[in-house]
């Protein structure tokens, strides 16, 4: 079993340079074979661009793959025979489909659709199953391929993905995982396994595994102004508050509200990036970005068209009734200087 000093989980607030820590660590020692993985393609592409901006190319010692691509190519395909008794069966990923609810786990239909694609909710489950049925060969192969694995946006990992993460923590590979439970807006699957560890519960999952992984908390945001940090902290009163790295004064700072008839003039004056909950949100003709897509981005100012629950929170400040505080947190912490709500 590895020393906990070899594995680290960095739980860091928005703007605490989580992804930068991954990139700097990966570039730090060219003699180590490194994998960087994260759930979304948007974040994966951002990591690749930032590495290329630093050194011009993706160095030969670094592999960058999405989490599902990693599970499929390194954990499932090489050992599909151990599970299904044949090779060439597993084709790819079925991101949208759902298996028959009556399918039994030992059957092919539990993991694969009729085309041989792995159901999204079964991907990590199948990787864990392949490791078990092959007497640990999945992990042994990974130990032979990688010295270090970096996982960005680890809060996206749920269900059996946490089980596979535990296999990595128990291996001889050094694992560094970074994330922010407050930004739990996406999930690798919708299964019920490890349900209590979703979102803020991830901290509990880590605290139960201190023998495998030490936890490092970073509460200082290098991105957000003091007013934005205070607003974001109030959304999660049970987690450590955000601290602003420096006092930022531009003349229009912190969190504000405006009325719909003021939107055009506000956009003309401050040039914010407009954020919305979904494409069905009425943004009064303003070009906008969905909050989920904006995760990982930094803007000087944002203008947010809030949902009804968000508007209620703005009115009464009761975070216990806010159904999706993570989306509100992501929206407001995209901004360096100011965030305004249309109410």
């Amino acid at each position: 079993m590895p020393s906990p000093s070899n594995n680290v989980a960095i739980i860091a607030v928005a703007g605490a340079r989580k992804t930068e820590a991954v990139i700097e660590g990966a570039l730090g020692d060219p003699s180590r074979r490194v994998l960087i993985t994260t759930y979304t393609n948007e974040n994966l592409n951002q990591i690749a661009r930032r590495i290329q901006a630093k050194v011009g190319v993706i160095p030969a010692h670094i592999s960058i793959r999405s989490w599902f691509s990693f599970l499929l190519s390194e954990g499932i395909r090489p050992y599909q025979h151990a599970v299904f008794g044949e090779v060439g069966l597993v084709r790819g990923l079925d991101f949208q489909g759902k298996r028959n609810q009556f399918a039994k786990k030992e059957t092919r239909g539990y993991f694969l659709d009729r085309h041989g694609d792995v159901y999204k909710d079964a991907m990590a489950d199948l990787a864990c199953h392949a490791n078990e049925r092959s007497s640990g060969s999945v992990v042994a192969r990974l130990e032979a391929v990688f010295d270090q694995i970096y996982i960005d946006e680890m809060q996206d990992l749920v269900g059996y993905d946490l089980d596979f993460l535990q296999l990595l923590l128990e291996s001889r590979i050094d694992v560094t995982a970074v994330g922010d439970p407050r930004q739990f807006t996406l999930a690798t699957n919708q299964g019920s396994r490890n349900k209590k560890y979703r979102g803020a519960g991830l901290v509990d999952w880590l605290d139960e595994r201190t023998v495998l992984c030490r936890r490092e908390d970073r509460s200082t945001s290098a991105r957000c102004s003091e007013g934005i940090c205070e607003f974001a902290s109030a959304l999660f009163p049970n987690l450590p508050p955000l601290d602003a790295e420096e006092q930022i004064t531009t003349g229009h700072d912190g969190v504000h509200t405006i009325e719909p008839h003021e939107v055009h003039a506000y956009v003309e004056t401050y040039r914010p990036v407009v954020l919305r909950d979904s494409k069905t949100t009425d943004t009064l003709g303003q070009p906008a970005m969905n909050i989920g897509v904006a995760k990982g981005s930094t803007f000087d100012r944002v203008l947010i068209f809030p949902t009804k629950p968000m508007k209620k929170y703005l009115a009464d400040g009761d975070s216990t009734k806010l159904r999706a505080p993570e989306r509100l947190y992501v929206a407001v912490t995209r901004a360096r200087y100011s965030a305004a709500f249309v109410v």
Side-chain angles (χ1 to χ4, degrees):
M1 187 171 290
S3 165
S5 61
N6 294 334
N7 299 324
V8 59
I10 301 174
I11 300 299
V13 301
R17 301 190 177 101
K18 296 183 292 296
T19 303
E20 187 65 18
V22 168
I23 293 171
E24 290 179 353
L27 291 171
D29 186 353
S31 69
R32 290 174 66 79
R33 299 163 301 171
V34 173
L35 169 70
I36 302 176
T37 182
T38 188
Y39 174 41
T40 68
N41 288 329
E42 290 85 357
N43 196 47
L44 195 75
N45 293 334
Q46 184 182 99
I47 291 171
R49 288 194 298 268
R50 289 171 64 171
I51 291 177
Q52 290 168 334
K54 282 180 176 290
V55 297
V57 296
I58 306 297
H61 74 284
I62 298 177
S63 297
I64 305 177
R65 301 181 193 173
S66 70
W67 178 251
F68 282 162
S69 175
F70 164 58
L71 292 179
L72 187 64
S73 63
E74 304 293 342
I76 295 173
R77 279 187 178 139
Y79 296 98
Q80 58 185 290
H81 185 275
V83 179
F84 302 115
E86 58 182 289
V87 298
L89 184 65
V90 177
R91 190 178 71 166
L93 167 66
D94 183 344
F95 195 83
Q96 300 293 338
K98 292 185 178 181
R99 63 172 169 245
N100 187 304
Q101 61 177 328
F102 300 110
K104 295 182 178 180
K105 188 164 184 175
E106 295 302 318
T107 64
R108 185 179 301 179
Y110 183 87
F111 297 107
L112 308 177
D113 67 13
R114 61 188 180 90
H115 302 293
D117 293 327
V118 185
Y119 292 115
K120 171 189 173 184
D121 287 358
M123 184 69 80
D125 189 355
L126 180 52
C128 291
H129 198 52
N131 186 67
E132 181 181 357
R133 294 290 294 270
S134 65
S135 302
S137 295
V138 170
V139 171
R141 182 173 182 273
L142 290 172
E143 289 174 334
V145 175
F146 300 111
D147 301 307
Q148 174 84 53
I149 293 179
Y150 290 94
I151 302 171
D152 198 14
E153 303 289 2
M154 71 172 297
Q155 75 278 352
D156 295 342
L157 304 186
V158 298
Y160 275 97
D161 296 279
L162 289 178
D163 289 33
F164 196 83
L165 175 56
Q166 174 148 340
L167 291 177
L168 296 178
L169 294 176
E170 292 171 346
S171 75
R172 296 196 304 268
I173 305 167
D174 294 340
V175 177
T176 299
V178 305
D180 182 0
R182 303 169 184 86
Q183 297 189 55
F184 178 61
T185 59
L186 298 170
T188 47
N189 67 76
Q190 300 302 317
S192 61
R193 187 172 179 82
N194 292 319
K195 187 176 182 179
K196 66 179 180 179
Y197 298 123
R198 288 173 173 251
L202 176 62
V203 174
D204 297 328
W205 189 87
L206 291 169
D207 288 345
E208 293 170 10
R209 288 158 178 81
T210 54
V211 174
L212 296 175
C213 182
R214 63 183 173 87
R215 191 180 114 203
E216 179 182 317
D217 294 327
R218 298 184 183 180
S219 60
T220 301
S221 175
R223 175 193 300 153
C224 303
S225 64
E226 184 177 14
I228 291 174
C229 285
E230 290 176 355
F231 183 93
S233 297
L235 295 171
F236 295 91
N238 295 327
L239 294 177
L242 288 74
D243 298 316
E245 186 174 74
E246 58 182 335
Q247 299 295 330
I248 303 172
T249 303
T250 68
H252 183 69
D253 308 300
V255 179
H256 307 267
T257 59
I258 66 172
E259 295 183 31
H261 69 84
E262 299 175 296
V263 166
H264 181 74
Y266 188 88
V267 170
E268 285 293 313
T269 302
Y270 297 109
R271 302 294 180 183
V273 172
V274 179
L275 299 179
R276 64 191 180 191
D277 184 66
S278 70
K279 63 181 181 180
T280 61
T281 304
D282 181 8
T283 58
L284 304 179
Q286 299 294 332
M289 178 184 296
N290 286 359
I291 292 171
V293 175
K295 189 172 72 167
S297 300
T298 299
F299 310 112
D300 285 347
R301 307 181 189 281
V302 297
L303 178 63
I304 303 165
F305 283 79
T307 62
K308 288 183 179 180
M310 290 178 186
K311 290 179 182 179
K312 190 175 187 309
Y313 173 75
L314 293 172
D316 62 25
D318 186 356
S319 62
T320 63
K321 297 179 181 178
L322 192 58
R323 288 179 294 179
E326 300 87 358
R327 294 187 69 79
L328 183 51
Y329 175 90
V330 167
V332 75
T333 57
R334 297 312 90 200
R336 290 189 179 95
Y337 309 127
S338 66
F341 293 90
V342 181
V343 297

